[in-house]
Amino acid sequence: MTRTTNARIAGFTYLFYAAIGICIELLMHQARGVDGGAAELVRIGQYATNVRLSILIVVLECVSALVLGVTLYGITRVVDHELAVLGLVCRVAEGVLGTLRIPSYLGLLWLAKPGGGTGAPDIPTTNALRTFLLMPVPSVPIGAIFFAVGSLIFSWLLVRGRMVPVSIAWLGVFASGLLAVALPLQLAGFPTGPLSGYTQWLPALAFQVVLALWLLIKG
């Protein structure tokens, strides 16, 4: 593919990736909107469609990460081939690690079926599985760290290659660098103050949307 084609595919995928990421957060928040294991499992049974849709979206997210890795590699490899390969590997790792959420979602659907579904375990086992599957979601998914590092690498290559306006490229370096530093610290349990939760993702979201529109329009 030409660099223009790669750019336009990347632009569309950036927007698609951001949109479905928001969708899965909303769907799972609604499905898991009750505190307490037993009540939460009942609610998941009531919102089973949300969980099934989330599984499909996770697959689309993972494919989108792979598409972004390949297209961004195609755009930036002329600047520094080795760094572009490293960025591609990080985005591939992000996509592969993202699929690890699917078995948990499938397990929740199985446990939430009326009567426990086919081959339902006894009550103690059910309680243990429920506790495991409904334990607090890690504040930092491992795949997010690879996303941040890959995004930082590709943003830096865009700066070096002057392929997009300098302001957009440096916004990517700042937003991705912020995540690449904050996320590992949070995963290890170190406090990061205001750099936590959804706040730290806002610069990255702004960068993706602006870059996506530029790539779609300018190619």
Side-chain angles (χ1 to χ4, degrees):
M1 292 187 293
T2 65
R3 288 174 62 190
T4 299
T5 301
N6 279 324
R8 294 211 163 102
I9 293 175
F12 171 80
T13 308
Y14 264 128
L15 293 177
F16 181 72
Y17 188 71
I20 62 176
I22 294 172
C23 287
I24 194 171
E25 290 293 329
L26 294 175
L27 287 170
M28 290 306 297
H29 177 74
Q30 186 179 34
R32 299 184 60 171
V34 176
D35 293 330
E40 192 171 351
L41 194 59
V42 171
R43 186 176 178 89
I44 287 172
Q46 296 170 344
Y47 287 88
T49 301
N50 285 38
V51 182
R52 293 189 179 97
L53 288 174
S54 297
I55 291 172
L56 293 177
I57 292 174
V58 168
V59 174
L60 293 175
E61 270 192 325
C62 298
V63 173
S64 297
L66 300 182
V67 172
L68 281 171
V70 171
T71 52
L72 292 172
Y73 165 78
I75 295 169
T76 60
R77 62 183 175 181
V78 296
V79 180
D80 189 313
H81 183 261
E82 287 75 16
L83 274 181
V85 169
L86 181 58
L88 171 61
V89 170
C90 287
R91 298 309 298 254
V92 170
E94 172 201 347
V96 172
L97 289 170
T99 62
L100 297 180
R101 287 177 288 174
I102 294 177
S104 295
Y105 291 169
L106 292 173
L108 288 172
L109 286 175
W110 178 63
L111 283 180
K113 285 182 180 179
T118 304
D122 55 27
I123 294 177
T125 304
T126 298
N127 290 337
L129 287 172
R130 183 186 66 202
T131 301
F132 173 75
L133 293 173
L134 292 177
M135 64 182 176
V137 178
S139 58
V140 181
I142 303 298
I145 296 176
F146 286 94
F147 159 81
V149 175
S151 181
L152 176 60
I153 292 171
F154 283 127
S155 296
W156 174 244
L157 291 175
L158 291 176
V159 170
R160 285 181 53 187
R162 300 186 179 275
M163 297 173 173
V164 299
V166 174
S167 57
I168 296 178
W170 276 113
L171 174 61
V173 171
F174 167 76
S176 305
L178 179 67
L179 291 174
V181 172
L183 293 180
L185 291 174
Q186 292 167 18
L187 181 64
F190 291 100
T192 54
L195 299 179
S196 60
Y198 294 111
T199 304
Q200 64 189 342
W201 289 94
L202 292 178
L205 178 60
F207 164 66
Q208 289 189 71
V209 172
V210 173
L211 178 61
L213 293 175
W214 175 268
L215 293 176
L216 282 172
I217 295 170
K218 299 293 185 178

